[in-house]
Amino acid sequence: NHEPLPADVLLIAGFEPDPSAPRGACHVETKQLDGETNLKGKSVPSVLTNFMGVTYEAQLAAWQKISGMIECEVPNPSTNKFVGTLQIEGGDTVPLGIGNVMLRGSSLRNAEYMLGLVLNTGNDTKVMQGARKPPVKQSTMDKAINKMMTVIVAILLVLCLLSAGLSVQWENSNYRSHWYLGFSRSELSNFGLQALYFLTLLASFVSVTLYVSMNVCKFVSAWYMTQSIHTYDQVEDQRAKVRTATLTDELGVISHIFSDKTGTLTQNVMQFRKCSILGVSYGRGITEIGLARLLRMGEPIPADAHDIEQGGGTSAGTNKLVNFSDPAILNTLKGGSGANEILTRCSRDFFLYLALCHTVVTEQFNGEKRLSASSPDESALVEAAKFCGFEFLDRHQEKVRIFDKYRNKELHYDVLDVLEFTSGRRRMSVIVLDPETGLITLICKGADSVMLKLLAAGQDATSKPTEEHMISHSNDGLRTLVITTKELDCNDYKKWSQEYRLAIQSTEELEKKARDEPNEIDRLCDLIEVDLKLLGSTAIEDKLQVGVPACIADLGRAGISLWVLTGDKEETAINIAYACQLLDQTTHIEIVNAKSHTSKDKIHDLLKAGALQYADDFRKAEITGKALPKRALVIDGDALEMVLKVDNNGESVGCQLAFLQYTQYCSAVVACRCAPSQKAQLVSLVKLNVHKATTLAIGDGANDVAMIQAAHVGVGISGQEGMQAANSADFAISQFRFLSELLLVQGRNNYRRMATLICYVFYKNIMMVLTVF
């Protein structure tokens, strides 16, 4: 348990906590593979579960008696699929999938031990097959030096040829009177020899030591950066790390910063704060971001704003994931005389479904039960369900146990299917069977931008107040999710399930899904996730990191343009931008979204007109000397898709030029509902098309790696989402606030040192050579 895997192995047996019901199951952590911190389930092939025994000795003895053959795919880099077959002598052929294989780099969890058969080792393992050399990055100064050296070499050759020509001419004029010098009579050979003489004499004109001196200077600068107390995080006991020392001076000339929000600007420690059920809002108190918004807009401060951190109360106790207080919801859940029976039933279903609709697994560590989730949001929602009376006990393969406090009984559910969350779907669903009633229920949660479109008709009485509550929660800087449900007919589900299982077993469909192409799996998910019944919404707080507003203010005063790329909804993104001082009351904000600008032409006309107007204002300001107000652009993912659109030949058919022209006059850009692929596209767009732009991308998750590697300089934050971003970046820090020290102090000093060194070396060599010449 907790040991990393050294090779790709097929599970053949493992620790059985219940010998009477062997299940051959465990979990693995894949943080080192994909940056995800959630645990993934693995199991022994069914043909081996009952054959291998339940004790370590019995399993080893049984394995000695087995003979058969394993046929598997050739080594490849795909870590989310595996194709193979297991043929036991005298038995049937059993298909093998990724759920039966543990990959190199993953760690075993929730089992004392597992036995495995090695499939691939060394360079044949999937993690090594997928290893790619990081892009080679050069600093702006290195590129300039390379060009200068070309010019220097050209000047040296001219000097050598000129000197050789003059020398030959002088020799031809004076070889009789200076016969004792032994001049050669062959002008051609004499010219070549003289050119070599002068090349040797003037060779120091091209500094051999320049590159060595630069590398030594950068190495020393990198060492000082790692030792700086100003970038040391005492809480995490982490120092700044320099992974690409050749870019230490590039930090001093950054013009554009592209930043993720969750885990980068915020702590990525989620707390359940508020919710809305059947159009009734629950949860008291106000967030720090909400308070800043009220002060900014001059609105009255509510009476319960005195205790921002405790959500207006302390009823959540010591639970760090729940900061919720409202006696009304607790009274509603208890029911009884005077309570609305329909609201009580829906409220209980709401929190029961929060305890069911997730991929969280429990883990025993030092005798303590812990939750392992794919995201902090899921942990917060499961803890909120527990706080409100529905405790998630554990999950064993397809079996889930929930404790219902109000009925004082343990509930058992069979998880039939999990329709996983993707950045394209922006929702996840589980289909569960209640063995007591035989009811099959679909539970779906996701972003309001997609969920509200999937609701059944005739729910305006619930949907309209819920939307108003979500807007209010977003104004407080809270992350919102919509919770829906749907009862499925048994026959309809069986028919759908057969098609779905064929699709997820098809290698072709899996490959299409991996390439984000239209596929049968997504079509079937969309087919069943319709006509949903709205239960309500949740609101989760992700607090800003310490020092973020001051850091962004400093970067803004330095003239650096900051782009925040987030998957949050528009209202949340704007209010967080205000809270961290990216925007202020003097900022003129232009909002572009797919609702207000439904076509590419409308977006193009707006951006083009705005760019022309700003250019005219800029020229007038230069004449009058009057300062211009700050400008910012807020754009959503759907509008970005129209802006960045390309045809099948890779040619732009969007309005990228107008977008770039407009953003050149913006001090800040906020992209909301932004997909990971769009982040990398935006970085590349600015990097390749804006003159003299030097880009820096900073993020903390595996979905930020593409953005980090696309920028001139990549900075990773070692946070809650693993070390994938930090390991793929050129520099790694633990807090966003250290970025100002990294750029404005260390980066600037490194650039000045390097510039001084280069000027001195060139000056020394040129003066020495010209004196000899």
Side-chain angles (χ1 to χ4, degrees):
N1 196 23
H2 287 270
E3 285 186 354
L5 271 292
D8 293 348
V9 300
L10 170 70
L11 294 179
I12 58 174
F15 172 72
E16 299 293 351
D18 184 3
S20 62
R23 54 190 180 92
C26 67
H27 290 91
V28 294
E29 183 185 64
T30 59
K31 184 164 57 177
Q32 300 302 322
L33 293 178
D34 52 20
E36 296 182 7
T37 55
N38 62 308
L39 301 186
K40 297 179 174 63
K42 301 290 181 179
S43 61
V44 175
S46 56
V47 71
L48 296 175
T49 303
N50 296 321
F51 181 82
M52 290 294 293
V54 295
T55 64
Y56 180 70
E57 293 76 11
Q59 289 164 352
L60 289 179
W63 182 248
Q64 299 296 327
K65 301 175 183 178
I66 293 178
S67 67
M69 182 182 69
I70 294 175
E71 182 179 356
C72 59
E73 61 189 10
V74 296
N76 64 78
S78 179
T79 58
N80 57 5
K81 74 180 184 70
F82 178 85
V83 179
T85 58
L86 170 62
Q87 172 67 53
I88 300 294
E89 190 173 295
D92 296 332
T93 300
V94 179
L96 301 176
I98 192 65
N100 307 123
V101 177
M102 295 198 297
L103 303 180
R104 175 181 175 178
S106 57
S107 299
L108 177 64
R109 294 293 183 89
N110 283 357
E112 289 188 10
Y113 68 87
M114 294 299 291
L115 301 180
L117 178 68
V118 175
L119 299 176
N120 290 310
T121 62
N123 290 329
D124 288 340
T125 57
K126 286 183 178 288
V127 65
M128 294 302 295
Q129 288 281 312
R132 296 288 183 270
K133 290 184 178 180
V136 178
K137 296 183 179 181
Q138 276 189 316
S139 68
T140 305
M141 192 169 288
D142 285 339
K143 295 176 182 177
I145 291 300
N146 291 338
K147 294 179 181 178
M148 290 180 188
M149 293 301 288
T150 303
V151 175
I152 291 292
V153 170
I155 294 174
L156 173 63
L157 293 177
V158 170
L159 291 178
C160 291
L161 295 176
L162 179 61
S163 301
L166 293 174
S167 177
V168 169
Q169 183 182 8
W170 185 86
E171 288 181 6
N172 289 336
S173 304
N174 299 279
Y175 76 93
R176 292 184 183 277
S177 57
H178 296 77
W179 55 268
Y180 50 84
L181 294 178
F183 294 134
S184 170
R185 298 302 302 277
S186 172
E187 294 185 7
L188 184 60
S189 62
N190 195 26
F191 177 82
L193 188 61
Q194 290 296 330
L196 289 176
Y197 285 161
F198 280 104
L199 181 62
T200 304
L201 185 64
L202 304 178
S204 57
F205 192 66
V206 179
S207 175
V208 179
T209 62
L210 177 60
Y211 287 105
V212 177
S213 301
M214 289 174 60
N215 287 333
V216 171
C217 183
K218 288 182 178 183
F219 175 79
V220 174
S221 298
W223 184 82
Y224 275 112
M225 290 174 67
T226 60
Q227 299 302 309
S228 173
I229 194 67
H230 300 292
T231 55
Y232 171 68
D233 186 0
Q234 290 183 336
V235 177
E236 300 293 335
D237 189 25
Q238 289 185 351
R239 298 181 180 273
K241 296 180 182 179
V242 179
R243 303 189 185 280
T244 309
T246 55
L247 296 178
T248 53
D249 56 293
E250 191 78 345
L251 293 170
V253 292
I254 299 298
S255 62
H256 292 74
I257 295 177
F258 297 84
S259 174
D260 179 38
K261 183 192 75 69
T262 304
T264 304
L265 300 179
T266 60
Q267 299 176 13
N268 202 17
V269 177
M270 309 298 178
Q271 287 186 326
F272 182 83
R273 288 297 300 262
K274 299 181 180 182
C275 64
S276 173
I277 303 174
L278 279 191
V280 180
S281 180
Y282 298 101
R284 300 188 306 182
I286 189 171
T287 64
E288 185 179 355
I289 295 171
L291 182 61
R293 173 180 172 274
L294 294 178
L295 293 173
R296 182 179 73 249
M297 300 182 68
E299 296 183 2
I301 307 300
D304 59 356
H306 64 281
D307 196 347
I308 297 174
E309 295 301 318
Q310 294 299 332
T314 58
S315 61
T318 59
N319 194 326
K320 296 180 180 180
L321 301 181
V322 179
N323 190 2
F324 180 84
S325 175
D326 194 341
I329 185 62
L330 300 179
N331 294 332
T332 300
L333 287 168
K334 290 177 182 177
S337 59
N340 186 324
E341 292 184 5
I342 297 177
L343 186 57
T344 296
R345 186 178 69 253
C346 288
S347 298
R348 291 184 179 182
D349 287 345
F350 182 85
F351 288 104
L352 172 63
Y353 293 162
L354 289 185
L356 285 171
C357 186
H358 56 76
T359 56
V360 175
V361 296
T362 57
E363 179 184 13
Q364 294 292 333
F365 189 72
N366 293 334
E368 178 186 353
K369 187 176 80 170
R370 295 182 179 179
L371 298 180
S372 175
S374 58
S375 69
D377 301 65
E378 287 204 325
S379 296
L381 293 176
V382 171
E383 286 291 344
K386 176 183 176 181
F387 173 72
C388 292
F390 294 89
E391 181 181 0
F392 170 70
L393 298 178
D394 59 32
R395 178 197 302 268
H396 289 301
Q397 295 180 324
E398 290 81 26
K399 305 289 185 180
V400 175
R401 294 191 303 131
I402 308 289
F403 179 74
D404 182 352
K405 182 178 74 173
Y406 303 102
R407 288 187 282 176
N408 195 27
K409 64 179 293 188
E410 193 174 288
L411 308 179
H412 296 262
Y413 287 89
D414 295 338
V415 179
L416 304 179
D417 292 287
V418 177
L419 312 184
E420 295 182 351
F421 176 90
T422 65
S423 58
R425 283 167 37 79
R426 297 184 182 179
R427 62 187 183 274
M428 78 157 291
S429 300
V430 296
I431 301 175
V432 297
L433 168 67
D434 185 350
E436 290 186 4
T437 62
L439 290 177
I440 300 177
T441 306
L442 168 73
I443 309 167
C444 185
K445 66 180 182 183
D448 61 295
S449 58
V450 294
M451 295 297 294
L452 296 178
K453 302 174 185 177
L454 304 177
L455 297 180
Q459 300 187 69
D460 291 347
T462 302
S463 62
K464 287 185 177 179
T466 301
E467 286 187 69
E468 294 175 0
H469 295 154
M470 285 193 292
I471 293 174
S472 175
H473 296 161
S474 297
N475 288 335
D476 283 344
L478 302 177
R479 298 159 60 95
T480 59
L481 279 178
V482 175
I483 310 299
T484 62
T485 182
K486 175 185 177 182
E487 289 189 6
L488 301 177
D489 179 75
C490 185
N491 294 327
D492 291 341
Y493 169 73
K494 287 180 179 179
K495 182 180 178 181
W496 176 88
S497 180
Q498 290 175 354
E499 296 182 26
Y500 182 70
R501 270 152 182 68
L502 288 175
I504 61 177
Q505 291 172 4
S506 170
T507 305
E508 181 181 355
E509 297 300 329
L510 289 171
E511 290 176 350
K512 287 181 181 179
K513 184 176 175 63
R515 296 193 298 264
D516 290 329
E517 297 177 358
N519 59 86
E520 192 69 8
I521 299 174
D522 287 343
R523 186 191 72 81
L524 289 168
C525 290
D526 295 340
L527 183 64
I528 201 169
E529 292 172 330
V530 293
D531 296 332
L532 303 175
K533 175 188 175 183
L534 176 63
L535 281 181
S537 65
T538 62
I540 296 176
E541 180 182 13
D542 186 10
K543 295 182 180 179
L544 289 174
Q545 290 184 13
V546 176
V548 167
C551 175
I552 289 179
D554 291 341
L555 295 174
R557 286 195 292 271
I560 298 175
S561 178
L562 181 61
W563 295 37
V564 175
L565 315 178
T566 175
D568 286 339
K569 61 186 301 182
E570 186 178 290
E571 294 83 359
T572 304
I574 291 174
N575 283 293
I576 287 179
Y578 273 113
C580 64
Q581 296 187 17
L582 182 62
L583 307 176
D584 56 36
Q585 290 179 327
T586 64
T587 307
H588 174 71
I589 304 174
E590 187 70 54
I591 298 177
V592 178
N593 55 47
K595 289 183 179 179
S596 59
H597 302 80
T598 55
S599 67
K600 181 206 72 173
D601 294 334
K602 290 184 178 180
I603 297 175
H604 177 271
D605 294 342
L606 172 72
L607 296 177
K608 192 68 176 178
L612 293 174
Q613 179 63 44
Y614 293 164
D616 186 55
D617 293 345
F618 184 76
R619 285 191 295 267
K620 292 179 181 178
E622 285 186 325
I623 296 173
T624 61
K626 187 177 180 180
L628 287 174
K630 293 196 299 183
R631 295 182 173 90
L633 173 67
V634 178
I635 186 169
D636 72 353
D638 293 334
L640 267 179
E641 189 174 347
M642 290 186 274
V643 170
L644 303 174
K645 189 175 182 181
V646 295
D647 59 18
N648 295 330
N649 298 322
E651 298 293 332
S652 172
V653 294
C655 47
Q656 299 178 4
L657 179 60
F659 177 75
L660 287 174
Q661 290 173 339
Y662 187 93
T663 55
Q664 291 313 293
Y665 298 100
C666 295
S667 59
V669 176
V670 178
C672 50
R673 296 299 192 198
C674 190
S677 59
Q678 290 177 327
K679 296 180 182 181
Q681 284 179 289
L682 285 174
V683 173
S684 299
L685 183 66
V686 174
K687 175 182 176 181
L688 300 176
N689 296 284
V690 177
H691 182 57
K692 292 186 177 180
T694 305
T695 59
L696 180 147
I698 179 170
D700 73 315
N703 59 341
D704 300 319
V705 170
M707 173 180 73
I708 287 172
Q709 293 187 339
H712 289 101
V713 179
V715 178
I717 289 184
S718 50
Q720 302 291 326
E721 297 187 23
M723 296 293 292
Q724 188 96 347
N727 291 337
S728 303
D730 305 303
F731 302 90
I733 54 179
S734 60
Q735 295 286 318
F736 183 87
R737 68 177 184 272
F738 297 151
L739 196 61
S740 60
E741 172 76 16
L742 207 65
L743 302 186
L744 306 182
V745 179
Q746 297 175 355
R748 178 175 180 270
N749 289 338
N750 291 341
Y751 189 86
R752 292 180 62 193
R753 294 186 191 110
M754 195 61 58
T756 303
L757 171 68
I758 293 170
C759 289
Y760 168 73
V761 171
F762 275 132
Y763 170 79
K764 172 179 70 71
N765 287 12
I766 290 173
M767 289 298 100
M768 183 175 65
V769 169
L770 289 182
T771 302
V772 173
F773 178 76

Coordinates of all heavy atoms in Angstrom, one line a residue, residues 536-580:
G536 N -32.3 21.9 -7.7 CA -31.7 23.1 -7.1 C -30.3 23.4 -7.6 O -29.8 22.8 -8.6
S537 N -29.5 24.1 -6.8 CA -28.1 24.4 -7.1 C -27.3 24.5 -5.9 O -27.9 24.8 -4.8 CB -28.1 25.8 -7.9 OG -28.5 26.8 -7.1
T538 N -26.0 24.4 -6.0 CA -25.1 24.5 -4.9 C -24.2 25.7 -5.2 O -24.0 26.1 -6.3 CB -24.2 23.3 -4.7 OG1 -23.5 23.0 -5.9 CG2 -25.1 22.0 -4.5
A539 N -23.6 26.3 -4.1 CA -22.7 27.4 -4.2 C -21.5 27.1 -3.3 O -21.7 27.0 -2.1 CB -23.4 28.7 -3.8
I540 N -20.3 27.1 -3.9 CA -19.1 26.7 -3.2 C -18.1 27.9 -3.3 O -18.0 28.5 -4.3 CB -18.5 25.4 -3.8 CG1 -19.4 24.3 -3.6 CG2 -17.1 25.1 -3.2 CD1 -19.0 23.0 -4.2
E541 N -17.5 28.2 -2.2 CA -16.5 29.3 -2.1 C -15.1 28.7 -2.3 O -14.7 27.7 -1.7 CB -16.6 30.0 -0.8 CG -15.6 31.2 -0.7 CD -15.7 31.9 0.6 OE1 -16.3 31.4 1.6 OE2 -15.1 33.0 0.7
D542 N -14.3 29.4 -3.1 CA -12.9 29.2 -3.3 C -12.2 30.5 -3.0 O -12.2 31.4 -3.8 CB -12.6 28.7 -4.7 CG -11.1 28.2 -4.9 OD1 -10.4 28.1 -3.9 OD2 -10.7 28.0 -6.0
K543 N -11.6 30.6 -1.8 CA -11.0 31.9 -1.4 C -9.8 32.2 -2.1 O -9.0 31.4 -2.6 CB -10.7 31.8 0.1 CG -12.0 31.6 1.0 CD -11.6 31.7 2.5 CE -12.8 31.5 3.3 NZ -12.5 31.5 4.8
L544 N -9.5 33.5 -2.3 CA -8.3 34.0 -2.9 C -7.1 33.7 -2.0 O -7.2 33.6 -0.8 CB -8.4 35.6 -3.0 CG -9.3 36.1 -4.1 CD1 -9.3 37.6 -4.0 CD2 -8.9 35.7 -5.5
Q545 N -6.0 33.5 -2.7 CA -4.7 33.3 -1.9 C -4.3 34.6 -1.3 O -4.7 35.7 -1.7 CB -3.6 32.8 -2.9 CG -3.8 31.4 -3.4 CD -2.6 31.0 -4.3 OE1 -1.6 31.6 -4.3 NE2 -2.8 29.9 -5.0
V546 N -3.5 34.4 -0.3 CA -3.0 35.6 0.5 C -2.1 36.4 -0.5 O -1.2 35.8 -1.2 CB -2.3 35.2 1.7 CG1 -1.6 36.4 2.4 CG2 -3.2 34.4 2.7
G547 N -2.3 37.7 -0.5 CA -1.3 38.6 -1.3 C -1.6 38.7 -2.8 O -0.9 39.4 -3.5
V548 N -2.7 38.1 -3.3 CA -3.0 38.1 -4.7 C -3.3 39.5 -5.2 O -2.8 40.0 -6.2 CB -4.1 37.1 -5.1 CG1 -4.6 37.4 -6.5 CG2 -3.6 35.7 -5.0
P549 N -4.2 40.3 -4.5 CA -4.5 41.6 -4.9 C -3.3 42.6 -5.0 O -3.1 43.3 -6.0 CB -5.5 42.1 -3.9 CG -6.2 40.9 -3.3 CD -5.1 39.9 -3.3
A550 N -2.5 42.5 -4.0 CA -1.3 43.4 -4.0 C -0.3 43.0 -5.1 O 0.3 43.9 -5.8 CB -0.6 43.3 -2.7
C551 N -0.2 41.7 -5.4 CA 0.7 41.2 -6.5 C 0.2 41.7 -7.8 O 1.0 42.2 -8.6 CB 0.8 39.7 -6.4 SG 1.7 39.0 -7.8
I552 N -1.1 41.5 -8.1 CA -1.7 42.0 -9.4 C -1.6 43.5 -9.5 O -1.3 44.0 -10.6 CB -3.1 41.5 -9.5 CG1 -3.2 39.9 -9.6 CG2 -3.9 42.1 -10.6 CD1 -4.5 39.3 -9.7
A553 N -1.8 44.2 -8.5 CA -1.6 45.7 -8.5 C -0.2 46.0 -8.9 O 0.0 46.9 -9.7 CB -2.0 46.3 -7.2
D554 N 0.8 45.4 -8.3 CA 2.2 45.7 -8.7 C 2.5 45.3 -10.1 O 3.2 46.1 -10.8 CB 3.1 44.9 -7.7 CG 3.1 45.4 -6.3 OD1 2.6 46.5 -6.1 OD2 3.5 44.6 -5.4
L555 N 2.0 44.2 -10.6 CA 2.2 43.8 -12.0 C 1.6 44.8 -12.9 O 2.1 45.1 -14.0 CB 1.7 42.4 -12.2 CG 2.4 41.3 -11.4 CD1 1.7 39.9 -11.7 CD2 3.8 41.1 -11.9
G556 N 0.4 45.3 -12.6 CA -0.3 46.3 -13.4 C 0.5 47.6 -13.5 O 0.6 48.2 -14.6
R557 N 1.0 48.0 -12.4 CA 1.8 49.3 -12.4 C 3.1 49.1 -13.2 O 3.7 50.1 -13.7 CB 2.2 49.7 -10.9 CG 1.0 50.3 -10.2 CD 1.4 51.0 -8.9 NE 2.0 50.0 -7.9 CZ 1.2 49.4 -7.0 NH1 -0.1 49.7 -7.0 NH2 1.8 48.6 -6.2
A558 N 3.6 47.9 -13.3 CA 4.8 47.6 -14.1 C 4.4 47.5 -15.6 O 5.4 47.4 -16.4 CB 5.4 46.3 -13.7
G559 N 3.2 47.7 -16.0 CA 2.8 47.7 -17.4 C 2.6 46.4 -18.0 O 2.6 46.2 -19.2
I560 N 2.4 45.3 -17.2 CA 2.2 44.0 -17.7 C 0.7 43.7 -17.8 O 0.0 44.0 -16.9 CB 2.8 42.9 -16.7 CG1 4.4 43.2 -16.6 CG2 2.6 41.5 -17.1 CD1 5.0 42.3 -15.6
S561 N 0.3 43.2 -19.0 CA -1.1 42.9 -19.2 C -1.4 41.5 -18.7 O -0.6 40.5 -18.9 CB -1.3 42.9 -20.7 OG -2.7 42.6 -21.0
L562 N -2.4 41.4 -17.8 CA -2.8 40.1 -17.2 C -4.1 39.6 -17.8 O -5.1 40.3 -17.8 CB -2.9 40.3 -15.7 CG -3.3 39.1 -14.9 CD1 -2.2 38.0 -15.0 CD2 -3.4 39.4 -13.4
W563 N -4.0 38.3 -18.3 CA -5.2 37.6 -18.8 C -5.5 36.5 -17.8 O -4.7 35.7 -17.5 CB -4.9 37.0 -20.2 CG -4.6 38.1 -21.2 CD1 -3.9 39.2 -21.1 CD2 -5.0 37.9 -22.6 NE1 -3.9 39.9 -22.3 CE2 -4.5 39.1 -23.3 CE3 -5.6 37.0 -23.4 CZ2 -4.7 39.3 -24.6 CZ3 -5.8 37.2 -24.7 CH2 -5.4 38.4 -25.3
V564 N -6.7 36.5 -17.3 CA -7.2 35.4 -16.5 C -8.1 34.5 -17.3 O -9.1 34.9 -17.8 CB -8.0 36.0 -15.2 CG1 -8.6 34.9 -14.4 CG2 -7.1 36.8 -14.4
L565 N -7.8 33.2 -17.4 CA -8.5 32.2 -18.1 C -9.1 31.2 -17.2 O -8.4 30.5 -16.5 CB -7.5 31.5 -19.1 CG -6.6 32.5 -19.9 CD1 -5.6 31.6 -20.8 CD2 -7.3 33.5 -20.7
T566 N -10.4 31.2 -17.1 CA -11.1 30.4 -16.1 C -12.3 29.7 -16.7 O -12.8 30.1 -17.7 CB -11.5 31.3 -14.9 OG1 -12.3 30.5 -14.0 CG2 -12.4 32.4 -15.4
G567 N -12.7 28.6 -16.0 CA -13.9 27.9 -16.5 C -15.1 28.3 -15.7 O -16.2 27.8 -16.0
D568 N -15.0 29.3 -14.8 CA -16.2 29.8 -14.1 C -17.1 30.6 -15.0 O -16.8 31.0 -16.0 CB -15.7 30.6 -12.9 CG -15.1 29.8 -11.8 OD1 -15.4 28.6 -11.8 OD2 -14.3 30.4 -11.0
K569 N -18.3 30.8 -14.4 CA -19.3 31.6 -15.2 C -19.0 33.0 -15.1 O -18.1 33.5 -14.3 CB -20.7 31.3 -14.7 CG -21.0 31.7 -13.2 CD -22.4 31.2 -12.8 CE -23.4 31.9 -13.7 NZ -24.8 31.5 -13.3
E570 N -19.6 33.8 -16.0 CA -19.2 35.2 -16.2 C -19.3 36.0 -14.9 O -18.3 36.8 -14.6 CB -20.2 35.8 -17.2 CG -19.8 37.2 -17.7 CD -20.8 37.7 -18.8 OE1 -20.7 37.1 -19.9 OE2 -21.6 38.6 -18.5
E571 N -20.4 36.0 -14.2 CA -20.5 36.8 -13.0 C -19.4 36.5 -11.9 O -18.9 37.4 -11.3 CB -21.9 36.6 -12.3 CG -23.0 37.1 -13.2 CD -23.5 36.1 -14.2 OE1 -22.8 35.0 -14.3 OE2 -24.4 36.4 -15.0
T572 N -19.1 35.2 -11.8 CA -18.1 34.8 -10.8 C -16.7 35.3 -11.2 O -16.0 35.9 -10.4 CB -18.1 33.2 -10.7 OG1 -19.3 32.7 -10.3 CG2 -17.0 32.8 -9.7
A573 N -16.4 35.2 -12.5 CA -15.1 35.6 -13.0 C -15.0 37.1 -12.8 O -13.9 37.6 -12.4 CB -15.0 35.3 -14.5
I574 N -16.0 37.9 -13.1 CA -15.9 39.4 -13.0 C -15.7 39.8 -11.5 O -14.9 40.6 -11.2 CB -17.2 40.0 -13.6 CG1 -17.2 39.8 -15.1 CG2 -17.2 41.5 -13.3 CD1 -18.5 40.3 -15.8
N575 N -16.5 39.2 -10.6 CA -16.4 39.6 -9.2 C -15.1 39.2 -8.6 O -14.5 39.9 -7.8 CB -17.6 39.0 -8.4 CG -18.9 39.8 -8.7 OD1 -19.0 40.9 -8.3 ND2 -19.8 39.1 -9.4
I576 N -14.5 38.1 -9.0 CA -13.2 37.7 -8.5 C -12.1 38.6 -9.1 O -11.2 39.0 -8.4 CB -12.9 36.2 -8.9 CG1 -13.8 35.3 -8.0 CG2 -11.4 35.9 -8.7 CD1 -13.6 33.8 -8.2
A577 N -12.3 39.0 -10.4 CA -11.4 40.0 -11.0 C -11.4 41.3 -10.2 O -10.3 41.9 -10.0 CB -11.8 40.2 -12.4
Y578 N -12.6 41.8 -9.8 CA -12.7 43.0 -8.9 C -12.0 42.7 -7.6 O -11.2 43.6 -7.1 CB -14.1 43.4 -8.7 CG -14.7 44.3 -9.8 CD1 -15.7 43.8 -10.6 CD2 -14.2 45.6 -9.9 CE1 -16.2 44.6 -11.6 CE2 -14.7 46.4 -10.9 CZ -15.7 45.9 -11.8 OH -16.2 46.8 -12.7
A579 N -12.2 41.6 -7.0 CA -11.7 41.3 -5.6 C -10.2 41.2 -5.6 O -9.6 41.6 -4.6 CB -12.3 40.0 -5.1
C580 N -9.6 40.8 -6.7 CA -8.1 40.7 -6.7 C -7.5 41.9 -7.4 O -6.3 41.9 -7.8 CB -7.7 39.4 -7.4 SG -8.1 39.2 -9.1

